[in-house]
């Protein structure tokens, strides 16, 4: 019995040191738990932001990562299914950052594809909750994927991108911010 306990303890200790680093997502434009700046707010639907996609940087992707995807989602939208604000997939594995404004300036990494948002177009669509609602949460998540490419066109809606992303995820990291008006 002692031998089994010692073996389990050793496996636990050695397994912990052999694990990959925890994946992390940071941003110069988004601060966890804080309100989103007007730069990342939508320009339309009654909102007057600048609609600039935020800078995102990540580290700690697991071994075997072949590509990344980034998704921005509002779970508080009064739709019954939330609201997709941005989906980017087929981001090359060597990438670890997306610059601010990359969506609007078309400066995403070569090969990256932006799916359709719930605004009905491809590209970044900033926050714009209904006036008078409590502040909504906006979840920006980077996913490390086990495939080079997802078999989706740029017209793919957020739910479809989410399905393929989650089916191929090795690890993920998120930043959650808020915005209300």
């Amino acid at each position: 019995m002692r031998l089994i306990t010692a073996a389990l303890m050793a496996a636990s200790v050695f397994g912990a040191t052999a694990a990959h680093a925890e994946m992390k997502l940071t941003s110069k434009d988004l601060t966890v738990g804080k309100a989103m700046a007007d730069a990342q707010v939508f320009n339309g639907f009654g909102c007057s932001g600048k609609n600039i996609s935020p800078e995102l940087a990540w580290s700690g992707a697991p071994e075997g990562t072949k590509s990344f995807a980034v998704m921005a989602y509002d779970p508080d939208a009064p739709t019954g299914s939330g609201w997709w604000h941005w989906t980017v997939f087929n981001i090359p594995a060597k990438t670890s950052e997306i610059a601010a404004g990359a969506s609007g300036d078309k400066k995403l990494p070569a090969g990256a594809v932006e799916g359709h948002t719930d605004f009905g177009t491809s590209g970044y669509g900033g926050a714009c909750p209904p006036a008078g609602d409590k502040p909504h949460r906006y979840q920006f998540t980077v996913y490390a994927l086990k495939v080079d490419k997802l078999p989706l066109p740029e017209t793919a809606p957020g739910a479809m991108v989410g399905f393929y992303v989650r089916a191929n995820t090795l690890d993920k990291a998120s930043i959650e911010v808020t915005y209300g008006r």
Side-chain angles (χ1 to χ4, degrees):
M1 192 63 138
R2 287 185 187 158
L3 186 56
I4 293 172
T5 303
L8 289 174
M9 287 174 58
S12 171
V13 170
F14 291 118
T17 59
H20 72 84
E22 180 179 339
M23 200 164 162
K24 292 183 176 153
L25 177 62
T26 60
S27 177
K28 296 173 186 169
D29 300 320
L30 306 171
T31 302
V32 174
K34 300 291 183 185
M36 187 182 294
D38 285 341
Q40 281 71 53
V41 173
F42 194 66
N43 189 357
F45 279 48
C47 291
S48 57
K50 295 181 182 169
N51 203 49
I52 299 171
S53 59
E55 180 269 349
L56 299 170
W58 54 89
S59 62
E63 189 175 323
T65 298
K66 294 184 179 177
S67 69
F68 293 99
V70 169
M71 301 184 78
Y73 177 70
D74 170 3
D76 301 317
T79 62
S81 60
W83 192 274
W84 293 103
H85 287 267
W86 197 23
T87 63
V88 186
F89 53 95
N90 298 346
I91 301 169
K94 66 181 183 224
T95 306
S96 61
E97 181 177 19
I98 294 177
S103 178
D105 291 342
K106 303 299 180 198
K107 293 181 181 172
L108 289 169
V113 177
E114 292 182 287
H116 269 196
T117 67
D118 284 340
F119 291 110
T121 59
S122 292
Y124 177 76
C128 188
D133 266 15
K134 68 176 184 163
H136 287 205
R137 296 169 293 153
Y138 295 88
Q139 301 163 342
F140 289 79
T141 305
V142 61
Y143 296 86
L145 305 179
K146 61 185 175 183
V147 295
D148 293 330
K149 295 189 183 298
L150 298 179
L152 298 169
E154 68 180 35
T155 57
M160 172 99 39
V161 176
F163 174 81
Y164 277 90
V165 164
R166 284 175 181 82
N168 291 286
T169 296
L170 295 169
D171 202 356
K172 65 182 181 175
S174 297
I175 292 174
E176 185 174 278
V177 294
T178 63
Y179 185 77
R181 59 185 186 113

